[in-house]
Amino acid sequence: MKIGVLISGRGSNLAALIEACAEPGFRGQIALVISNRPKAEGLQVAAAAGIPTLVVDHQDFASRETFDAELDRALRAAGVELICNAGFMRILSDGFVEKWRDRQLNIHPSLLPAFKGLHVHQRALDAGVRITGCTVHFVRPEMDEGPIVAQAAVPVLSGDTPETLAARVLEAEHKLYPLALKLVVEGRARVVGEQVALLEADGTEAAPLFVPAI
Ligand code: GRF
């Protein structure tokens, strides 16, 4: 399955996905990495792995729709069948999201539906939660909503700052996203009525993928 990855920055999740795709027998291949920011460090991560990159700078477009149309065109031209958002910081138009319905994944650094949006780690600390984590989900027009493929739990420790907590959650993200992507490329994560049904390799029903306390 040809995968397109959308990034805006550092690209550490992209690096984890590249590593996963290099595993023998992995049924996905990253065909294109697109950044909306010309200076995103992730572009170098992709280039170093020999993956084609493209900058589609949102500032060059008059509207969200024309920006999204260019993303769509480039992804289709590269033969992309599945999109992975990996630290992509633009809101996509409803039209784009619907075109890629059930073929676009996102990773969010909280246990959704808690703490959608930005500043998640500060908000988790303010709320006093003892466990946070990360979520891989199919993308829907509403931000940080959509059928959940997999989640990982991360403990909040006393003395945590948003930075220390973010670093611990990021480690979990790097484990979770490859696991979730594997399920999707193998056709073992199916959207059924806005929830994800997971299947074992032999087609029987699998338990929900929850990675405890990383
Ligand atoms: C990750 O924490 C991701 O969950 C969030 O933005 C961060 C991106 O990090 N949406 P990176 O660019 O993958 O290193």
Side-chain angles (χ1 to χ4, degrees):
M1 186 181 284
K2 285 194 176 181
I3 299 161
V5 183
L6 303 184
I7 62 166
S8 298
R10 173 178 60 184
S12 69
N13 277 290
L14 165 66
L17 297 180
I18 291 172
E19 203 177 308
C21 290
E23 289 286 319
F26 196 90
R27 284 161 59 178
Q29 173 205 346
I30 302 177
L32 179 64
V33 172
I34 304 180
S35 172
N36 67 304
R37 288 187 42 235
K39 291 195 177 138
E41 301 93 312
L43 289 168
Q44 268 75 57
V45 174
I51 298 168
T53 61
L54 182 68
V55 173
V56 183
D57 188 340
H58 59 276
Q59 293 180 333
D60 295 341
F61 294 84
S63 69
R64 198 176 291 286
E65 284 69 24
T66 51
F67 168 76
D68 289 359
E70 176 55 18
L71 283 188
D72 186 66
R73 189 207 58 74
L75 291 162
R76 284 175 200 275
V80 167
E81 300 162 272
L82 177 75
I83 302 173
C84 290
N85 296 0
F88 183 64
M89 302 305 283
R90 297 292 300 170
I91 292 173
L92 294 159
S93 61
D94 291 5
F96 181 95
V97 172
E98 286 306 337
K99 264 192 217 158
W100 290 90
R101 193 179 179 87
D102 299 343
R103 295 187 300 139
Q104 185 176 18
L105 294 171
N106 181 46
I107 187 155
H108 182 74
S110 75
L111 288 175
L112 291 174
F115 309 121
K116 296 173 183 174
L118 297 174
H119 311 299
V120 287
H121 305 299
Q122 181 66 62
R123 286 159 54 214
L125 290 172
D126 290 347
V129 298
R130 300 294 190 239
I131 297 175
T132 183
C134 50
T135 304
V136 176
H137 64 97
F138 284 103
V139 173
R140 291 292 181 264
E142 303 76 29
M143 192 176 50
D144 299 325
E145 272 199 25
I148 291 170
V149 180
Q151 294 187 302
V154 175
V156 178
L157 304 181
S158 63
D160 258 339
T161 63
E163 291 74 29
T164 59
L165 186 54
R168 201 174 312 113
V169 172
L170 193 64
E171 267 183 59
E173 292 182 49
H174 297 161
K175 293 182 183 146
L176 191 72
Y177 214 168
L179 279 177
L181 178 62
K182 186 173 196 296
L183 289 169
V184 173
V185 298
E186 290 180 355
R188 291 168 53 201
R190 300 244 177 85
V191 180
V192 182
E194 289 306 274
Q195 294 202 1
V196 174
L198 294 185
L199 304 175
E200 299 287 2
D202 65 5
T204 57
E205 198 178 318
L209 181 57
F210 177 73
V211 182
I214 290 182

